[in-house]
Amino acid sequence: MKRPRKFADICAHLGDDYDFFRGAVVPPIYQNTTFTRKNSDHGYSYTRVKNPTTEVLEKKLAALECAEAARAYSSGMAAITSLLFSILKKGDHVVTLGSVYQPVVHFLQNEMPKFGVETDFINDGTPEEFEAAARPETRLFYLESPSSNVFKIQDLKKIAEIASRRGILTAIDNTWATPYFQNPLKLGIDYVIHSATKYLGGHSDICAGAVAGSAEKINALFESGMYSAVPDPFASWLLIRSLRTLELRMIRHGENARRVAEFLSGHGRVKKVLWPGLKTHEGHETAVSQMSGFSGLMGLVLDTDYRNTSKFIKNLDIFEEGPSWGGFESLINSPGVTDNEEYLNFTTIPQGLLRISVGLEDVDSILEDLDQSLKKL
Ligand SMILES: Cc1ncc(COP(=O)(O)O)c(C=O)c1O
């Protein structure tokens, strides 16, 4: 296939350069650091700078995000911190939500001030809040829609318009939606970030990250990429393998999640379900205007105390308890399940919050599992 254009075609075939890779249907793993150049000028010298396997991955990621270029990293956090270090300088100011992925909050709060960069954290992430928090020295609006744990939706187009009017850059963590459900660059955002450890990898066996954007912006990162935390070529190869089924997996995650969200929100022992695909979600209308579907991570608060909530987790069979999300397996995590008053006063995480990552299992098995455990409450 010469020019894959549709999402599934890009997933399946982009980067399959049969001439370059001697007819191999799967691009090989270039598991080497050094490229010799006495007899040919092929443009490769050192894997941290450029590696043919990682290059295939970067082309695929760029095409999926409707970007001109992408840069792969060894983790989502490596992608985020490299981007921040690359585009921010002493005296710059950042605006973001207090509910973005907590290590990012920590990094902006505790590490970036050492380099003279200040951050303001806003609550809901409305365009008005971003505009009100902006200063003459604001360099970046950092978004994550929906944001971690509380699932706040941000209006990407409106926030990008405010930013561009004021000469401010915009970046978004698009890990939750994946490029299958949301393409922020098309809405005017400058940089799209991924933790590929989640849905892009999808098999809970790869730690990787990416940043996508215009060729000019990503090439500027390539210069700073001299100092980058790049993925190991084997991780790049595994991720290329994973991306071949991204569309299929996201359709299934989305369908399973909808059934689970509807079941839970109609259940008497469930107080709250946080999933932007539900009409009752406060950001639903905005979400529908900028996303074509919804993935499988959702928040849930039971109508009971923390002891019973812990019992609910223990009584589940299909759902294992653990961190991370976006893999083939259904997982449950309990970021708000504690009776520690000090923690609850300090955190933005709602009391009793459970986080469910709906996997690829049969949806009836998933629903039966949740139902039997809720009945034991
Ligand atoms: C929304 C979000 N962004 C970024 C990250 C960081 O990704 P990684 O674990 O690949 O560094 C995570 C990890 O959980 C996440 O949930």
Side-chain angles (χ1 to χ4, degrees):
M1 183 177 264
K2 285 244 157 40
R3 305 178 81 191
R5 291 215 175 270
K6 299 235 165 81
F7 197 89
D9 305 335
I10 295 168
C11 287
H13 285 301
L14 196 132
D16 294 349
D17 187 340
Y18 301 133
D19 293 338
F20 187 77
F21 295 122
R22 298 171 189 253
V25 289
V26 175
I29 314 170
Y30 279 75
Q31 192 70 38
N32 53 292
T33 53
T34 305
F35 296 83
T36 62
R37 55 178 169 229
K38 215 187 275 172
N39 297 322
S40 90
D41 185 14
H42 39 59
Y44 299 95
S45 65
Y46 190 53
T47 276
R48 196 187 69 239
V49 179
K50 194 156 104 162
N51 174 285
T53 311
T54 302
E55 235 184 353
V56 170
L57 169 66
E58 289 170 336
K59 281 187 195 152
K60 227 177 179 65
L61 289 168
L64 291 173
E65 272 299 0
C66 308
E68 288 171 359
R71 174 86 167 138
Y73 292 90
S74 58
S75 70
M77 278 311 291
I80 293 164
T81 53
S82 296
L83 176 68
L84 295 178
F85 271 135
S86 198
I87 62 180
L88 298 172
K89 61 177 189 323
K90 190 174 170 189
D92 282 347
H93 173 247
V94 178
V95 182
T96 190
L97 286 84
S99 54
V100 298
Y101 182 56
Q102 284 310 289
V104 178
V105 172
H106 189 275
F107 187 75
L108 288 166
Q109 222 162 29
N110 300 304
E111 307 299 342
M112 288 315 275
K114 294 179 196 164
F115 305 95
V117 175
E118 277 184 32
T119 301
D120 267 325
F121 297 93
I122 55 176
N123 236 343
D124 293 324
T126 60
E128 296 73 27
E129 260 187 309
F130 271 100
E131 177 119 57
R135 305 180 194 161
E137 64 274 22
T138 303
R139 172 84 171 136
L140 177 69
F141 285 168
Y142 182 92
L143 287 72
E144 188 185 298
S145 183
S147 63
S148 292
N149 293 313
V150 289
F151 298 85
K152 300 261 183 203
I153 294 288
Q154 296 117 68
D155 188 323
L156 308 193
K157 206 166 169 200
K158 282 195 188 149
I159 295 167
E161 275 164 14
I162 295 167
S164 113
R165 183 163 28 86
R166 302 181 67 127
I168 296 168
L169 291 168
T170 46
I172 184 170
D173 183 329
N174 201 30
T175 304
W176 190 91
T178 81
Y180 185 62
F181 290 134
Q182 180 167 267
N183 287 132
L185 297 175
K186 281 190 181 168
L187 300 168
I189 299 290
D190 294 306
Y191 299 96
V192 172
I193 302 161
H194 281 283
S195 165
T197 313
K198 311 295 189 262
Y199 288 118
L200 300 189
H203 295 68
S204 300
D205 55 9
I206 310 163
C207 191
V211 180
S214 70
E216 194 189 348
K217 288 195 167 60
I218 299 301
N219 284 338
L221 298 181
F222 269 123
E223 276 171 39
S224 64
M226 276 301 204
Y227 326 117
S228 271
V230 294
D232 181 83
F234 181 49
S236 296
W237 182 86
L238 276 174
L239 196 45
I240 294 165
R241 180 277 327 251
S242 291
L243 290 175
R244 292 191 202 278
T245 57
L246 181 64
E247 174 168 304
L248 284 174
R249 289 185 286 107
M250 293 321 294
I251 291 171
R252 175 72 169 235
H253 278 297
E255 285 171 358
N256 282 4
R258 175 163 300 283
R259 292 278 306 277
V260 169
E262 284 170 358
F263 166 77
L264 290 172
S265 55
H267 199 288
R269 299 309 308 265
V270 177
K271 198 150 66 178
K272 199 182 328 182
V273 179
L274 297 171
W275 190 63
L278 287 173
K279 286 205 176 90
T280 48
H281 188 278
E282 58 178 6
H284 179 70
E285 253 177 60
T286 307
V288 167
S289 75
Q290 60 195 18
M291 300 171 74
S292 60
F294 305 95
S295 74
L297 186 73
M298 65 184 73
L300 165 72
V301 180
L302 299 183
D303 191 13
T304 186
D305 63 8
Y306 94 100
R307 259 178 240 286
N308 258 333
T309 304
S310 306
K311 244 195 266 166
F312 167 76
I313 298 172
K314 292 281 172 275
N315 285 330
L316 287 167
D317 175 34
I318 289 187
F319 286 83
E320 286 299 329
E321 187 179 3
S324 201
W325 49 279
F328 62 92
E329 77 284 25
S330 287
L331 276 178
I332 189 159
N333 200 8
S334 52
V337 182
T338 173
D339 61 350
N340 182 333
E341 292 289 331
E342 206 181 320
Y343 170 78
L344 286 168
N345 287 336
F346 157 81
T347 180
T348 55
I349 297 172
Q351 182 167 13
L353 185 81
L354 294 169
R355 210 180 60 171
I356 282 186
S357 177
V358 180
L360 299 175
E361 299 92 344
D362 187 288
V363 72
D364 289 328
S365 312
I366 296 174
L367 294 175
E368 277 163 29
D369 193 26
L370 292 166
D371 194 40
Q372 62 80 21
S373 188
L374 282 168
K375 278 196 177 116
K376 289 181 187 145
L377 279 180

